[in-house]
Coordinates of all heavy atoms in Angstrom, one line a residue:
Chain A
S4 N 7.0 130.6 -48.8 CA 8.0 131.6 -49.4 C 7.7 133.0 -48.7 O 8.6 133.7 -48.4 CB 7.9 131.7 -50.9 OG 6.5 132.0 -51.2
L7 N 9.0 132.9 -45.2 CA 10.4 132.9 -45.1 C 10.9 134.4 -45.4 O 12.0 134.7 -44.9 CB 11.0 132.0 -46.2 CG 11.4 130.6 -45.7 CD1 11.8 129.8 -46.9 CD2 12.5 130.6 -44.7
C8 N 10.2 135.1 -46.2 CA 10.7 136.5 -46.5 C 10.5 137.4 -45.3 O 11.1 138.5 -45.2 CB 9.8 137.1 -47.6 SG 10.3 136.4 -49.2
L13 N 14.1 135.3 -41.8 CA 15.4 135.6 -42.5 C 16.5 135.7 -41.5 O 17.6 135.2 -41.7 CB 15.3 136.8 -43.3 CG 14.7 136.6 -44.7 CD1 14.6 137.9 -45.5 CD2 15.6 135.7 -45.5
V28 N 34.2 125.9 -39.6 CA 35.5 126.5 -39.8 C 36.4 126.2 -38.6 O 37.6 125.9 -38.7 CB 35.4 127.9 -40.2 CG1 36.7 128.6 -40.1 CG2 34.8 128.1 -41.6
W31 N 37.6 122.6 -38.6 CA 38.2 122.1 -39.8 C 39.7 121.8 -39.5 O 40.4 122.7 -39.0 CB 38.0 123.1 -40.9 CG 38.2 122.5 -42.3 CD1 39.3 122.7 -43.1 CD2 37.4 121.6 -43.0 NE1 39.2 122.0 -44.2 CE2 38.0 121.3 -44.2 CE3 36.1 121.1 -42.7 CZ2 37.4 120.5 -45.2 CZ3 35.5 120.2 -43.7 CH2 36.2 120.0 -44.9
A35 N 47.5 117.7 -42.1 CA 47.1 116.5 -42.9 C 46.8 115.3 -42.0 O 45.9 114.5 -42.3 CB 48.1 116.1 -43.9
L36 N 47.5 115.2 -40.8 CA 47.3 114.0 -40.0 C 46.2 114.2 -39.0 O 45.7 113.3 -38.3 CB 48.6 113.7 -39.2 CG 49.6 113.0 -40.1 CD1 50.9 112.8 -39.2 CD2 49.1 111.6 -40.5
D37 N 45.7 115.5 -38.8 CA 44.6 115.7 -37.9 C 43.3 115.1 -38.4 O 43.0 115.2 -39.6 CB 44.4 117.2 -37.7 CG 45.6 117.9 -37.0 OD1 46.3 117.1 -36.3 OD2 45.7 119.1 -37.1
S38 N 42.6 114.5 -37.5 CA 41.3 113.9 -38.0 C 40.3 115.0 -38.2 O 40.3 116.0 -37.4 CB 40.8 112.8 -37.0 OG 40.5 113.5 -35.7
N39 N 39.4 114.8 -39.2 CA 38.4 115.8 -39.5 C 37.1 115.4 -38.7 O 36.4 114.5 -39.0 CB 38.1 115.8 -41.0 CG 37.3 117.0 -41.4 OD1 36.5 117.5 -40.6 ND2 37.5 117.5 -42.6
D40 N 36.9 116.1 -37.6 CA 35.7 115.9 -36.8 C 34.7 117.0 -36.9 O 33.8 117.2 -36.1 CB 36.1 115.8 -35.3 CG 37.1 114.7 -35.0 OD1 37.0 113.6 -35.7 OD2 38.0 114.8 -34.2
V84 N 17.1 122.3 -45.2 CA 17.5 122.0 -46.6 C 18.6 123.0 -47.0 O 19.5 122.7 -47.7 CB 16.3 122.1 -47.6 CG1 16.7 121.9 -49.0 CG2 15.2 121.0 -47.2
I85 N 18.4 124.3 -46.6 CA 19.4 125.3 -46.9 C 20.7 125.0 -46.3 O 21.8 125.3 -46.8 CB 18.9 126.7 -46.5 CG1 17.7 127.1 -47.3 CG2 20.0 127.8 -46.6 CD1 17.9 127.3 -48.8
L87 N 21.9 122.1 -45.9 CA 22.3 120.8 -46.4 C 23.8 120.7 -47.0 O 24.5 119.8 -46.7 CB 21.3 120.3 -47.5 CG 21.2 118.8 -47.6 CD1 20.8 118.1 -46.3 CD2 20.1 118.5 -48.7
P88 N 24.2 121.7 -47.8 CA 25.6 121.7 -48.3 C 26.6 121.6 -47.2 O 27.6 120.9 -47.3 CB 25.7 123.0 -49.1 CG 24.3 123.4 -49.4 CD 23.5 122.9 -48.3
L89 N 26.4 122.3 -46.1 CA 27.3 122.2 -45.0 C 27.3 120.8 -44.3 O 28.3 120.2 -44.0 CB 27.1 123.3 -44.0 CG 27.3 124.7 -44.4 CD1 26.1 125.3 -45.0 CD2 27.8 125.6 -43.2
G92 N 28.7 118.3 -46.9 CA 30.1 118.5 -47.1 C 31.0 118.0 -46.0 O 32.0 117.4 -46.1
Y94 N 30.1 115.9 -43.7 CA 30.0 114.4 -43.7 C 31.0 113.7 -44.6 O 31.6 112.7 -44.3 CB 28.6 114.0 -44.0 CG 28.3 112.5 -43.7 CD1 27.8 112.0 -42.5 CD2 28.6 111.6 -44.7 CE1 27.6 110.7 -42.3 CE2 28.4 110.2 -44.5 CZ 27.9 109.8 -43.3 OH 27.7 108.4 -43.1
A95 N 31.1 114.3 -45.8 CA 31.9 113.7 -46.8 C 33.4 113.7 -46.4 O 34.2 112.8 -46.7 CB 31.8 114.4 -48.2
A96 N 33.8 114.8 -45.7 CA 35.2 114.9 -45.2 C 35.5 114.2 -43.9 O 36.6 114.0 -43.6 CB 35.5 116.4 -45.2
S97 N 34.5 113.9 -43.1 CA 34.7 113.4 -41.8 C 34.6 111.9 -41.6 O 35.2 111.4 -40.7 CB 33.7 114.1 -40.8 OG 33.9 115.4 -40.8
F98 N 33.9 111.2 -42.5 CA 33.7 109.8 -42.4 C 33.2 109.3 -41.0 O 33.8 108.5 -40.4 CB 35.0 109.1 -42.7 CG 35.5 109.2 -44.1 CD1 36.4 110.3 -44.4 CD2 35.1 108.4 -45.1 CE1 36.8 110.4 -45.8 CE2 35.5 108.5 -46.4 CZ 36.3 109.6 -46.7
Chain B
Q268 N 54.1 108.6 -43.5 CA 53.0 108.8 -42.5 C 52.2 110.0 -42.9 O 51.4 110.5 -42.0 CB 53.7 109.1 -41.1 CG 54.5 107.9 -40.6 CD 55.2 108.2 -39.4 OE1 56.2 109.0 -39.4 NE2 54.8 107.7 -38.3
V271 N 45.9 112.7 -45.1 CA 45.1 113.2 -46.3 C 44.8 114.7 -46.0 O 44.2 115.1 -45.0 CB 43.7 112.5 -46.4 CG1 42.9 113.0 -47.5 CG2 44.0 111.0 -46.6
S273 N 43.2 118.3 -46.2 CA 41.8 118.8 -46.4 C 42.0 120.2 -47.1 O 43.0 120.8 -47.1 CB 41.2 119.0 -45.1 OG 41.0 117.8 -44.4
P274 N 40.9 120.6 -47.8 CA 41.0 121.9 -48.5 C 41.2 123.0 -47.4 O 40.9 122.9 -46.3 CB 39.6 122.1 -49.1 CG 39.1 120.7 -49.2 CD 39.7 119.9 -48.1
T276 N 41.1 126.3 -45.1 CA 40.0 126.9 -44.4 C 39.5 128.1 -45.1 O 38.3 128.4 -45.1 CB 40.4 127.2 -42.9 OG1 41.1 126.1 -42.4 CG2 39.2 127.5 -42.1
L279 N 37.2 127.4 -47.8 CA 35.9 126.9 -47.3 C 35.1 128.1 -46.9 O 33.9 128.2 -47.2 CB 36.2 126.0 -46.1 CG 35.2 124.9 -45.7 CD1 35.2 123.9 -46.8 CD2 35.7 124.3 -44.4
L280 N 35.7 129.0 -46.2 CA 35.0 130.2 -45.7 C 34.4 131.0 -46.9 O 33.2 131.5 -46.9 CB 36.0 131.1 -44.9 CG 35.4 132.0 -43.8 CD1 34.6 131.2 -42.9 CD2 36.6 132.7 -43.1
L283 N 31.5 129.1 -48.5 CA 30.3 129.1 -47.6 C 29.7 130.5 -47.7 O 28.4 130.6 -47.7 CB 30.7 128.7 -46.2 CG 31.0 127.2 -45.9 CD1 31.5 127.1 -44.5 CD2 29.8 126.4 -46.2
Y286 N 27.8 131.1 -51.0 CA 26.6 130.3 -51.1 C 25.5 130.8 -50.2 O 24.3 131.0 -50.6 CB 26.9 128.8 -50.7 CG 25.6 128.0 -50.3 CD1 24.7 127.7 -51.2 CD2 25.4 127.8 -48.9 CE1 23.5 127.0 -50.9 CE2 24.2 127.1 -48.6 CZ 23.3 126.7 -49.5 OH 22.2 126.1 -49.2
I294 N 16.0 133.8 -51.6 CA 14.8 133.6 -50.7 C 14.1 135.0 -50.4 O 12.9 135.1 -50.4 CB 15.1 132.9 -49.4 CG1 15.5 131.4 -49.8 CG2 14.0 132.9 -48.4 CD1 16.2 130.7 -48.6
R295 N 15.0 136.0 -50.2 CA 14.4 137.3 -49.8 C 13.7 138.0 -50.9 O 12.6 138.5 -50.7 CB 15.6 138.2 -49.3 CG 15.1 139.6 -49.0 CD 14.1 139.7 -47.9 NE 13.7 141.1 -47.6 CZ 12.7 141.7 -48.2 NH1 12.0 141.0 -49.1 NH2 12.4 142.9 -47.9
S299 N 8.3 132.7 -54.4 CA 8.3 131.3 -54.5 C 9.3 130.8 -55.5 O 10.0 129.8 -55.2 CB 6.9 130.8 -55.0 OG 5.9 131.1 -54.0
L302 N 12.6 130.8 -53.7 CA 12.7 129.8 -52.7 C 13.0 128.4 -53.4 O 13.9 127.7 -52.9 CB 11.4 129.6 -51.9 CG 11.3 128.5 -50.9 CD1 12.4 128.6 -49.9 CD2 9.9 128.4 -50.3
L306 N 16.4 126.3 -52.8 CA 16.4 124.9 -52.4 C 17.2 124.0 -53.5 O 17.9 123.1 -53.1 CB 15.0 124.4 -52.3 CG 14.2 125.0 -51.1 CD1 12.7 124.5 -51.1 CD2 14.8 124.8 -49.8
A309 N 20.8 124.6 -53.0 CA 21.2 123.8 -51.8 C 21.5 122.4 -52.2 O 22.5 121.8 -51.8 CB 20.2 123.9 -50.7
S313 N 25.1 120.7 -52.3 CA 25.4 119.5 -51.5 C 26.1 118.4 -52.4 O 27.1 117.8 -51.9 CB 24.1 118.9 -51.0 OG 23.4 119.9 -50.3
L320 N 34.8 117.1 -51.6 CA 35.4 116.8 -50.3 C 35.6 115.3 -50.0 O 36.4 115.0 -49.1 CB 34.6 117.5 -49.2 CG 34.5 119.0 -49.2 CD1 33.5 119.5 -48.2 CD2 35.9 119.6 -48.9
R321 N 34.9 114.5 -50.7 CA 35.1 113.1 -50.5 C 36.3 112.5 -51.2 O 36.4 112.6 -52.4 CB 33.8 112.3 -51.0 CG 33.7 110.9 -50.5 CD 33.2 110.9 -49.1 NE 32.7 109.5 -48.7 CZ 32.3 109.3 -47.4 NH1 32.4 110.2 -46.5 NH2 31.9 108.1 -47.1
P322 N 37.3 112.0 -50.5 CA 38.5 111.5 -51.1 C 38.2 110.3 -52.0 O 37.2 109.6 -51.7 CB 39.4 111.1 -50.0 CG 38.9 111.8 -48.8 CD 37.4 112.0 -49.0
T325 N 39.4 105.7 -49.6 CA 39.2 105.8 -48.2 C 40.2 105.1 -47.4 O 40.3 105.3 -46.2 CB 37.8 105.3 -47.8 OG1 37.7 103.9 -48.2 CG2 36.7 106.1 -48.4
R384 N 38.2 105.0 -37.1 CA 38.1 106.1 -38.0 C 39.4 107.0 -37.9 O 39.9 107.2 -36.9 CB 36.9 106.9 -37.6 CG 36.6 108.1 -38.4 CD 35.3 108.8 -37.9 NE 35.4 110.2 -38.2 CZ 36.0 111.1 -37.4 NH1 36.5 110.8 -36.3 NH2 36.1 112.4 -37.8
W385 N 39.8 107.4 -39.1 CA 41.0 108.3 -39.2 C 42.2 107.7 -38.4 O 42.8 108.4 -37.6 CB 40.6 109.7 -38.7 CG 41.1 110.7 -39.6 CD1 42.4 111.2 -39.6 CD2 40.4 111.4 -40.6 NE1 42.5 112.2 -40.6 CE2 41.3 112.4 -41.2 CE3 39.1 111.4 -41.0 CZ2 40.9 113.2 -42.2 CZ3 38.7 112.2 -42.1 CH2 39.6 113.1 -42.6

Side-chain angles (χ1 to χ4, degrees):
Chain A
S4 56
L7 267 174
C8 287
L13 272 179
V28 167
W31 197 256
L36 281 176
D37 292 342
S38 63
N39 193 331
D40 298 325
V84 178
I85 293 296
L87 209 56
L89 290 91
Y94 187 93
S97 299
F98 293 94
Chain B
Q268 297 174 292
V271 175
S273 300
T276 313
L279 209 65
L280 207 55
L283 286 174
Y286 160 73
I294 291 169
R295 172 65 181 89
S299 294
L302 175 61
L306 295 176
S313 302
L320 293 172
R321 194 75 165 178
T325 56
R384 180 183 151 270
W385 223 280

